[in-house]
mmCIF file of all heavy atoms in Angstrom:
data_model
loop_
_atom_site.group_PDB
_atom_site.id
_atom_site.type_symbol
_atom_site.label_atom_id
_atom_site.label_comp_id
_atom_site.label_asym_id
_atom_site.label_seq_id
_atom_site.Cartn_x
_atom_site.Cartn_y
_atom_site.Cartn_z
ATOM 1 N N GLY N 1351 109.357 90.235 114.413
ATOM 2 C CA GLY N 1351 108.368 89.607 113.539
ATOM 3 C C GLY N 1351 107.445 88.683 114.306
ATOM 4 O O GLY N 1351 106.239 88.641 114.063
ATOM 5 N N ALA N 1352 108.021 87.940 115.251
ATOM 6 C CA ALA N 1352 107.211 87.032 116.060
ATOM 7 C C ALA N 1352 106.229 87.802 116.926
ATOM 8 O O ALA N 1352 105.053 87.420 117.047
ATOM 9 C CB ALA N 1352 108.116 86.159 116.926
ATOM 10 N N LEU N 1353 106.671 88.891 117.533
ATOM 11 C CA LEU N 1353 105.781 89.689 118.376
ATOM 12 C C LEU N 1353 104.665 90.341 117.564
ATOM 13 O O LEU N 1353 103.524 90.407 118.015
ATOM 14 C CB LEU N 1353 106.570 90.747 119.139
ATOM 15 C CG LEU N 1353 107.451 90.221 120.264
ATOM 16 C CD1 LEU N 1353 108.260 91.364 120.877
ATOM 17 C CD2 LEU N 1353 106.632 89.529 121.318
ATOM 18 N N LEU N 1354 104.991 90.809 116.375
ATOM 19 C CA LEU N 1354 103.963 91.397 115.511
ATOM 20 C C LEU N 1354 102.920 90.353 115.125
ATOM 21 O O LEU N 1354 101.712 90.614 115.187
ATOM 22 C CB LEU N 1354 104.602 91.988 114.256
ATOM 23 C CG LEU N 1354 103.636 92.553 113.219
ATOM 24 C CD1 LEU N 1354 102.910 93.773 113.777
ATOM 25 C CD2 LEU N 1354 104.364 92.893 111.949
ATOM 26 N N CYS N 1355 103.374 89.173 114.745
ATOM 27 C CA CYS N 1355 102.432 88.110 114.375
ATOM 28 C C CYS N 1355 101.602 87.669 115.567
ATOM 29 O O CYS N 1355 100.402 87.419 115.426
ATOM 30 C CB CYS N 1355 103.192 86.933 113.780
ATOM 31 S SG CYS N 1355 103.835 87.264 112.140
ATOM 32 N N LEU N 1356 102.196 87.581 116.732
ATOM 33 C CA LEU N 1356 101.433 87.176 117.902
ATOM 34 C C LEU N 1356 100.447 88.261 118.330
ATOM 35 O O LEU N 1356 99.372 87.955 118.839
ATOM 36 C CB LEU N 1356 102.376 86.800 119.035
ATOM 37 C CG LEU N 1356 103.198 85.529 118.763
ATOM 38 C CD1 LEU N 1356 104.152 85.255 119.915
ATOM 39 C CD2 LEU N 1356 102.307 84.350 118.513
ATOM 40 N N LEU N 1357 100.790 89.524 118.102
ATOM 41 C CA LEU N 1357 99.841 90.608 118.358
ATOM 42 C C LEU N 1357 98.646 90.509 117.414
ATOM 43 O O LEU N 1357 97.492 90.674 117.839
ATOM 44 C CB LEU N 1357 100.528 91.969 118.203
ATOM 45 C CG LEU N 1357 99.639 93.187 118.348
ATOM 46 C CD1 LEU N 1357 99.163 93.316 119.793
ATOM 47 C CD2 LEU N 1357 100.364 94.426 117.913
ATOM 48 N N LEU N 1358 98.899 90.210 116.153
ATOM 49 C CA LEU N 1358 97.800 90.020 115.202
ATOM 50 C C LEU N 1358 96.946 88.816 115.578
ATOM 51 O O LEU N 1358 95.720 88.848 115.431
ATOM 52 C CB LEU N 1358 98.349 89.860 113.782
ATOM 53 C CG LEU N 1358 98.914 91.123 113.145
ATOM 54 C CD1 LEU N 1358 99.579 90.779 111.814
ATOM 55 C CD2 LEU N 1358 97.839 92.157 112.945
ATOM 56 N N ALA N 1359 97.582 87.762 116.075
ATOM 57 C CA ALA N 1359 96.821 86.594 116.522
ATOM 58 C C ALA N 1359 95.949 86.951 117.718
ATOM 59 O O ALA N 1359 94.805 86.492 117.822
ATOM 60 C CB ALA N 1359 97.776 85.454 116.884
ATOM 61 N N LEU N 1360 96.455 87.780 118.604
ATOM 62 C CA LEU N 1360 95.673 88.219 119.756
ATOM 63 C C LEU N 1360 94.475 89.066 119.320
ATOM 64 O O LEU N 1360 93.373 88.926 119.859
ATOM 65 C CB LEU N 1360 96.551 88.999 120.728
ATOM 66 C CG LEU N 1360 95.894 89.500 121.998
ATOM 67 C CD1 LEU N 1360 95.476 88.313 122.858
ATOM 68 C CD2 LEU N 1360 96.846 90.387 122.759
ATOM 69 N N ILE N 1361 94.670 89.918 118.333
ATOM 70 C CA ILE N 1361 93.565 90.728 117.802
ATOM 71 C C ILE N 1361 92.503 89.826 117.180
ATOM 72 O O ILE N 1361 91.305 90.014 117.405
ATOM 73 C CB ILE N 1361 94.097 91.763 116.780
ATOM 74 C CG1 ILE N 1361 94.906 92.832 117.495
ATOM 75 C CG2 ILE N 1361 92.956 92.386 115.980
ATOM 76 C CD1 ILE N 1361 95.656 93.763 116.568
ATOM 77 N N GLY N 1362 92.924 88.846 116.408
ATOM 78 C CA GLY N 1362 91.973 87.909 115.811
ATOM 79 C C GLY N 1362 91.220 87.106 116.855
ATOM 80 O O GLY N 1362 90.012 86.889 116.744
ATOM 81 N N ALA N 1363 91.925 86.667 117.898
ATOM 82 C CA ALA N 1363 91.275 85.885 118.955
ATOM 83 C C ALA N 1363 90.292 86.735 119.741
ATOM 84 O O ALA N 1363 89.195 86.278 120.080
ATOM 85 C CB ALA N 1363 92.332 85.295 119.884
ATOM 86 N N SER N 1364 90.670 87.976 120.041
ATOM 87 C CA SER N 1364 89.752 88.826 120.801
ATOM 88 C C SER N 1364 88.530 89.221 119.967
ATOM 89 O O SER N 1364 87.418 89.305 120.493
ATOM 90 C CB SER N 1364 90.484 90.067 121.321
ATOM 91 O OG SER N 1364 90.963 90.846 120.250
ATOM 92 N N ALA N 1365 88.714 89.448 118.662
ATOM 93 C CA ALA N 1365 87.565 89.758 117.793
ATOM 94 C C ALA N 1365 86.618 88.566 117.696
ATOM 95 O O ALA N 1365 85.393 88.723 117.760
ATOM 96 C CB ALA N 1365 88.046 90.170 116.404
ATOM 97 N N THR N 1366 87.182 87.377 117.580
ATOM 98 C CA THR N 1366 86.349 86.173 117.530
ATOM 99 C C THR N 1366 85.639 85.945 118.860
ATOM 100 O O THR N 1366 84.456 85.583 118.893
ATOM 101 C CB THR N 1366 87.207 84.951 117.169
ATOM 102 O OG1 THR N 1366 87.880 85.210 115.941
ATOM 103 C CG2 THR N 1366 86.354 83.709 117.017
ATOM 104 N N GLY N 1367 86.339 86.179 119.954
ATOM 105 C CA GLY N 1367 85.725 86.046 121.272
ATOM 106 C C GLY N 1367 84.581 87.025 121.472
ATOM 107 O O GLY N 1367 83.528 86.661 122.009
ATOM 108 N N PHE N 1368 84.768 88.269 121.031
ATOM 109 C CA PHE N 1368 83.694 89.259 121.125
ATOM 110 C C PHE N 1368 82.499 88.850 120.286
ATOM 111 O O PHE N 1368 81.354 88.991 120.710
ATOM 112 C CB PHE N 1368 84.183 90.640 120.685
ATOM 113 C CG PHE N 1368 83.068 91.639 120.541
ATOM 114 C CD1 PHE N 1368 82.466 92.174 121.661
ATOM 115 C CD2 PHE N 1368 82.621 92.026 119.298
ATOM 116 C CE1 PHE N 1368 81.420 93.086 121.538
ATOM 117 C CE2 PHE N 1368 81.588 92.927 119.153
ATOM 118 C CZ PHE N 1368 80.984 93.461 120.277
ATOM 119 N N TYR N 1369 82.764 88.323 119.099
ATOM 120 C CA TYR N 1369 81.687 87.906 118.185
ATOM 121 C C TYR N 1369 80.834 86.818 118.832
ATOM 122 O O TYR N 1369 79.602 86.880 118.818
ATOM 123 C CB TYR N 1369 82.310 87.408 116.885
ATOM 124 C CG TYR N 1369 81.323 86.921 115.859
ATOM 125 C CD1 TYR N 1369 80.683 87.808 115.013
ATOM 126 C CD2 TYR N 1369 81.051 85.569 115.714
ATOM 127 C CE1 TYR N 1369 79.789 87.371 114.064
ATOM 128 C CE2 TYR N 1369 80.159 85.120 114.760
ATOM 129 C CZ TYR N 1369 79.536 86.023 113.936
ATOM 130 O OH TYR N 1369 78.654 85.571 112.990
ATOM 131 N N TYR N 1370 81.481 85.825 119.408
ATOM 132 C CA TYR N 1370 80.732 84.727 120.030
ATOM 133 C C TYR N 1370 80.100 85.149 121.348
ATOM 134 O O TYR N 1370 79.031 84.675 121.708
ATOM 135 C CB TYR N 1370 81.617 83.496 120.207
ATOM 136 C CG TYR N 1370 81.910 82.831 118.891
ATOM 137 C CD1 TYR N 1370 83.205 82.729 118.419
ATOM 138 C CD2 TYR N 1370 80.881 82.336 118.102
ATOM 139 C CE1 TYR N 1370 83.476 82.138 117.204
ATOM 140 C CE2 TYR N 1370 81.142 81.744 116.884
ATOM 141 C CZ TYR N 1370 82.441 81.645 116.443
ATOM 142 O OH TYR N 1370 82.690 81.069 115.231
ATOM 143 N N TRP N 1371 80.744 86.028 122.079
ATOM 144 C CA TRP N 1371 80.168 86.541 123.325
ATOM 145 C C TRP N 1371 78.914 87.359 123.032
ATOM 146 O O TRP N 1371 77.915 87.272 123.759
ATOM 147 C CB TRP N 1371 81.194 87.392 124.067
ATOM 148 C CG TRP N 1371 80.618 88.094 125.238
ATOM 149 C CD1 TRP N 1371 80.362 87.567 126.464
ATOM 150 C CD2 TRP N 1371 80.208 89.464 125.294
ATOM 151 N NE1 TRP N 1371 79.821 88.526 127.279
ATOM 152 C CE2 TRP N 1371 79.714 89.704 126.582
ATOM 153 C CE3 TRP N 1371 80.217 90.514 124.372
ATOM 154 C CZ2 TRP N 1371 79.236 90.937 126.975
ATOM 155 C CZ3 TRP N 1371 79.744 91.733 124.767
ATOM 156 C CH2 TRP N 1371 79.254 91.944 126.056
ATOM 157 N N ALA N 1372 78.967 88.157 121.961
ATOM 158 C CA ALA N 1372 77.826 89.008 121.617
ATOM 159 C C ALA N 1372 76.642 88.180 121.121
ATOM 160 O O ALA N 1372 75.497 88.589 121.306
ATOM 161 C CB ALA N 1372 78.234 90.027 120.560
ATOM 162 N N GLY N 1373 76.905 87.059 120.502
ATOM 163 C CA GLY N 1373 75.804 86.215 120.076
ATOM 164 C C GLY N 1373 75.585 86.142 118.587
ATOM 165 O O GLY N 1373 74.501 85.775 118.145
ATOM 166 N N GLY N 1374 76.561 86.511 117.794
ATOM 167 C CA GLY N 1374 76.411 86.367 116.352
ATOM 168 C C GLY N 1374 76.485 87.683 115.614
ATOM 169 O O GLY N 1374 76.809 88.727 116.172
ATOM 170 N N PRO N 1375 76.153 87.640 114.331
ATOM 171 C CA PRO N 1375 76.362 88.820 113.488
ATOM 172 C C PRO N 1375 75.469 90.010 113.825
ATOM 173 O O PRO N 1375 75.949 91.138 113.906
ATOM 174 C CB PRO N 1375 76.093 88.307 112.078
ATOM 175 C CG PRO N 1375 75.308 87.068 112.246
ATOM 176 C CD PRO N 1375 75.682 86.491 113.569
ATOM 177 N N GLU N 1376 74.193 89.774 114.025
ATOM 178 C CA GLU N 1376 73.282 90.899 114.258
ATOM 179 C C GLU N 1376 73.465 91.508 115.650
ATOM 180 O O GLU N 1376 73.436 92.726 115.813
ATOM 181 C CB GLU N 1376 71.837 90.447 114.061
ATOM 182 C CG GLU N 1376 71.532 89.950 112.657
ATOM 183 C CD GLU N 1376 71.822 90.988 111.590
ATOM 184 O OE1 GLU N 1376 71.544 92.177 111.828
ATOM 185 O OE2 GLU N 1376 72.337 90.606 110.531
ATOM 186 N N LYS N 1377 73.655 90.659 116.627
ATOM 187 C CA LYS N 1377 73.803 91.168 117.989
ATOM 188 C C LYS N 1377 75.134 91.881 118.191
ATOM 189 O O LYS N 1377 75.212 92.843 118.956
ATOM 190 C CB LYS N 1377 73.653 90.032 118.995
ATOM 191 C CG LYS N 1377 72.240 89.495 119.061
ATOM 192 C CD LYS N 1377 72.119 88.405 120.098
ATOM 193 C CE LYS N 1377 70.715 87.853 120.126
ATOM 194 N NZ LYS N 1377 70.597 86.758 121.094
ATOM 195 N N SER N 1378 76.186 91.436 117.494
ATOM 196 C CA SER N 1378 77.471 92.122 117.634
ATOM 197 C C SER N 1378 77.395 93.533 117.055
ATOM 198 O O SER N 1378 77.961 94.476 117.610
ATOM 199 C CB SER N 1378 78.588 91.324 116.968
ATOM 200 O OG SER N 1378 78.391 91.222 115.584
#
Side-chain angles (χ1 to χ4, degrees):
L1353 288 176
L1354 176 66
C1355 288
L1356 293 178
L1357 176 68
L1358 288 173
L1360 181 65
I1361 290 171
S1364 62
T1366 304
F1368 170 74
Y1369 179 83
Y1370 288 118
W1371 172 79
E1376 299 302 321
K1377 291 182 182 178
S1378 64

